[in-house]
Amino acid sequence: MIRPTRRSLLKGGLAAAGSVLLLAGCGDGNTRNSYSTVGTLDFSNPLRIPPLARSTRSADGARVFELAATEGSTQFLPGTSTPTWGYNGSYLGPTIRAARGDKVRLTVVNRLPETTSVHWHGMHLPAAMDGGPHQPVEPGAAWTPEWVLDQPAATLWYHPHPHGATEQQVNRGLAGLFLVDDPDAAPEGLPHSYGRDDIPVIVQDRSFAKDGSLTNGPRGLTGLTGNSILVNGTWNPHRRVETEAVRLRLLNASSARSYSFGFDDGRSFAVIASDGGLLAAPAGVHRVLLSPGERAEAVVRFSPGERVELRAFPHQLGMSEALDNGAGGNDTLSILQFRAAARLSPSPELPANLGGPGEPDLSAIAATRTFILNGTQINGRQLDHNRIDTVVGAGTTEIWNVSNTHNQPHNFHIHDVRFRILDINGAAPPPELAGLKDTVFLPVRASARLAVPFGRYADAAAPYMYHCHLLWHEDSGMMGQFTVVEPGQAGSEPPAAAGHSH
Ligand code: C2O
Ligand code: CU
Ligand code: CU
């Protein structure tokens, strides 16, 4: 399945090149040759599109969704079935879709043999509904959070968040999309027909054992990296294109791999949205880089009859070349082939203005804080369920300076909020990172200054989390807890622990 790149052929010689898979599966997993899967796939499988979740309307007007986490088996590879987990199915889950202003109620039923939780990544909601490690769902139990959607239209997702087991549960297949619509603020001219010209692209790397089961390796410094790409749970996928323009809702739902997405012919495309919603204007790019947990919406134009491949290209993680290889940074991966029909229905030009946010409002900054990422610690500490690390005031805006001082890549995700990147490594963010974000990628020694407006749900007893979204780091405790309290009470936190250790 794997073909070595010329670079690894030259470096490692033919003998090593022939055993890339073996190399990747043994040793400490931290180094291996980079590889390319280009030319190894025939894209024969039609891309699966997760079904839209059904909902019912309860007497109090809530839209009620049900998610049952279950064990099952899935056929990814020809003639082989793989034991997997999924929501309402054997792998991944349905796409939940609801509109701003809707009251949603989700019944999560756990039919797995172990404790899980379901976190609504990117959602503004009360901390008690957040689905982090504080809201475990035991085997056989159900949990029914509810809240009113109150945030811009965006591509969000849901996934398990039980402390110490998140990587394993996501690896088995637990994840799904949660699309928020905002009909009152929807610009004209964006593709928006789900499964037709508006398609989910959930990208995950997996490794399969000979018997078809998913393996837990290799785990390098950054976590699991697989050598086979699944898109929406489809291996070797293609997608028929019937319209001139297609909107791709890209989600990196992998454990540790980051992807620099682009096309094999180098065409440009328009990024229209980041994690938390639409940008101010379409950003023309050739590549968009997503670390685990990040999303981007892209609009791509096609010509009749063509075949074009979405790929992930090498990009710098900032480590040595050997370690970047081990973490997948130098791999070239075929992701998804598009097959355009001989006749395409016309699509409108993109609007020049998408209605996303302008300059962030920095007129009232309540506090400035520093978060140092190093090892699997934040400010020298690992997660302690009994410690609230940060207390913020409801409705206030803070500046968070997040620095990766470690010689490994990390990222930083904050629950409940949509922040703005003011600068990254001292420079203004590129346009595709200048909108609403909830996760920021920080390769080795990178730093970012974030403007973080906190929500209005105050609850001194229930914390939200911030953490590295490389799932193995998260499971290892690279996570902190914050509470949102009435603004007058926000001074009550312990002094920052930066510079201290353990
Ligand atoms: Cu996807 Cu705590 O997050
Ligand atoms: Cu989250
Ligand atoms: Cu990390």
Side-chain angles (χ1 to χ4, degrees), residues 240-450:
R240 288 269 301 168
V241 169
E242 264 134 26
T243 52
E244 288 172 349
V246 174
R247 177 186 195 160
L248 307 177
R249 296 187 188 245
L250 296 160
L251 161 64
N252 180 350
S254 302
S255 176
R257 234 187 227 281
S258 46
Y259 301 90
S260 177
F261 291 111
F263 290 88
D264 60 339
D265 63 353
R267 76 182 52 195
S268 65
F269 52 98
V271 176
I272 58 165
S274 53
D275 301 335
L278 292 166
L279 302 178
V285 300
H286 291 90
R287 298 271 196 275
V288 63
L289 177 60
L290 297 182
S291 69
E294 288 186 285
R295 289 86 66 211
E297 296 179 30
V299 175
V300 192
R301 295 192 80 89
F302 295 95
S303 306
E306 68 175 347
R307 290 190 171 192
V308 194
E309 194 185 314
L310 179 69
R311 277 189 193 160
F313 293 92
H315 56 282
Q316 297 277 315
L317 299 175
M319 300 185 285
S320 66
E321 185 180 337
L323 290 173
D324 271 13
N325 284 348
N330 292 322
D331 297 336
T332 306
L333 304 167
S334 287
I335 305 289
L336 171 62
Q337 186 189 61
F338 292 92
R339 299 181 178 174
R343 295 193 48 201
L344 299 176
S345 326
S347 303
E349 291 299 320
L350 286 180
N353 182 346
L354 297 169
E359 291 295 304
D361 178 8
L362 304 179
S363 58
I365 297 301
T368 299
R369 300 176 203 269
T370 299
F371 296 86
I372 305 290
L373 311 183
N374 198 297
T376 51
Q377 299 181 324
I378 300 175
N379 289 344
R381 310 197 280 204
Q382 288 189 317
L383 175 71
D384 178 345
H385 284 284
N386 298 314
R387 184 188 67 231
I388 302 299
D389 298 277
T390 307
V391 180
V392 305
T396 66
T397 297
E398 299 193 355
I399 303 290
W400 284 21
N401 291 305
V402 188
S403 299
N404 176 4
T405 62
H406 192 208
N407 54 10
Q408 284 178 34
H410 296 285
N411 69 11
F412 193 74
H413 168 53
I414 312 176
H415 286 206
D416 192 54
V417 304
R418 278 140 304 289
F419 57 71
R420 306 292 296 282
I421 302 173
L422 299 176
D423 45 57
I424 186 152
N425 295 329
E432 69 275 17
L433 293 180
L436 302 171
K437 292 285 292 169
D438 58 52
T439 306
V440 58
F441 187 37
L442 296 166
V444 173
R445 311 236 163 241
S447 61
R449 197 163 61 98
L450 312 177

Side-chain angles (χ1 to χ4, degrees), residues 132-149:
H134 300 275
Q135 290 88 36
V137 190
E138 304 300 331
W143 174 60
T144 305
E146 64 174 58
W147 67 94
V148 175
L149 292 188

Side-chain angles (χ1 to χ4, degrees), residues 79-266:
T80 316
S81 84
T82 300
T84 50
W85 290 1
Y87 298 107
N88 304 357
S90 69
Y91 192 83
L92 297 177
T95 297
I96 299 169
R97 183 158 209 176
R100 188 171 197 162
D102 282 350
K103 181 191 215 181
V104 294
R105 181 174 300 144
L106 292 113
T107 299
V108 174
V109 180
N110 181 2
R111 300 213 181 97
L112 303 171
E114 65 185 57
T115 303
T116 189
S117 80
V118 180
H119 167 59
W120 320 102
H121 179 129
M123 194 71 75
H124 172 44
L125 76 188
M129 310 297 167
D130 193 39
H134 300 275
Q135 290 88 36
V137 190
E138 304 300 331
W143 174 60
T144 305
E146 64 174 58
W147 67 94
V148 175
L149 292 188
D150 184 16
Q151 63 191 91
T155 301
L156 311 183
W157 64 302
Y158 57 94
H159 62 78
H161 214 305
H163 188 49
T166 298
E167 184 184 62
Q168 283 305 309
Q169 294 193 0
V170 174
N171 190 54
R172 289 179 153 115
L174 295 178
L177 285 178
F178 196 136
L179 308 184
V180 177
D181 295 319
D182 186 353
D184 297 334
E188 293 288 315
L190 296 184
H192 63 267
S193 174
Y194 182 82
R196 183 164 185 267
D197 61 4
D198 179 352
I199 64 168
V201 181
I202 304 171
V203 180
Q204 300 177 303
D205 57 334
R206 293 291 183 268
S207 293
F208 294 94
K210 272 227 161 67
D211 65 358
S213 60
L214 293 166
T215 70
N216 287 323
R219 173 179 282 130
L221 292 171
T222 53
L224 290 180
T225 54
N227 53 30
S228 301
I229 296 296
L230 302 180
V231 183
N232 304 342
T234 322
W235 176 73
N236 193 22
H238 73 270
R239 168 70 198 180
R240 288 269 301 168
V241 169
E242 264 134 26
T243 52
E244 288 172 349
V246 174
R247 177 186 195 160
L248 307 177
R249 296 187 188 245
L250 296 160
L251 161 64
N252 180 350
S254 302
S255 176
R257 234 187 227 281
S258 46
Y259 301 90
S260 177
F261 291 111
F263 290 88
D264 60 339
D265 63 353

